[in-house]
Amino acid sequence: MSTTTSSVAEAPPTVRERLDGSGLSRGFGAMVPRWTYRFRRQPLSPAADFAGPAHVAESSASRPFSL
């Protein structure tokens, strides 16, 4: 697996606009309401709310780990 790093400043203009913009994100904690989770939205500005962007190219299913 290879990893690359790059700066947001090097990103295309559309990506920078999205990071600097604002939108809505689903907001819930450990308890996810079955029928109303779609309506629970909170404001989100990616550049202000996160330290940096990350892209996960590949993932696997969760599995318990032993202590």
Side-chain angles (χ1 to χ4, degrees):
M1 176 181 4
S2 65
T3 59
T4 59
T5 59
S6 62
S7 170
V8 173
E10 299 169 2
T14 53
V15 173
R16 289 194 310 266
E17 288 173 14
R18 175 64 183 115
L19 292 174
D20 290 334
S22 63
L24 295 174
S25 174
R26 289 196 177 114
F28 43 79
M31 175 69 177
V32 180
R34 184 173 184 180
W35 302 108
T36 61
Y37 75 94
R38 291 183 186 95
F39 307 115
R40 292 185 180 225
R41 305 277 182 150
Q42 61 187 22
L44 172 74
S45 177
D49 296 333
F50 297 101
H55 173 72
V56 178
E58 186 176 322
S59 67
S60 62
S62 297
R63 51 189 173 269
F65 82 120
S66 59
L67 296 174

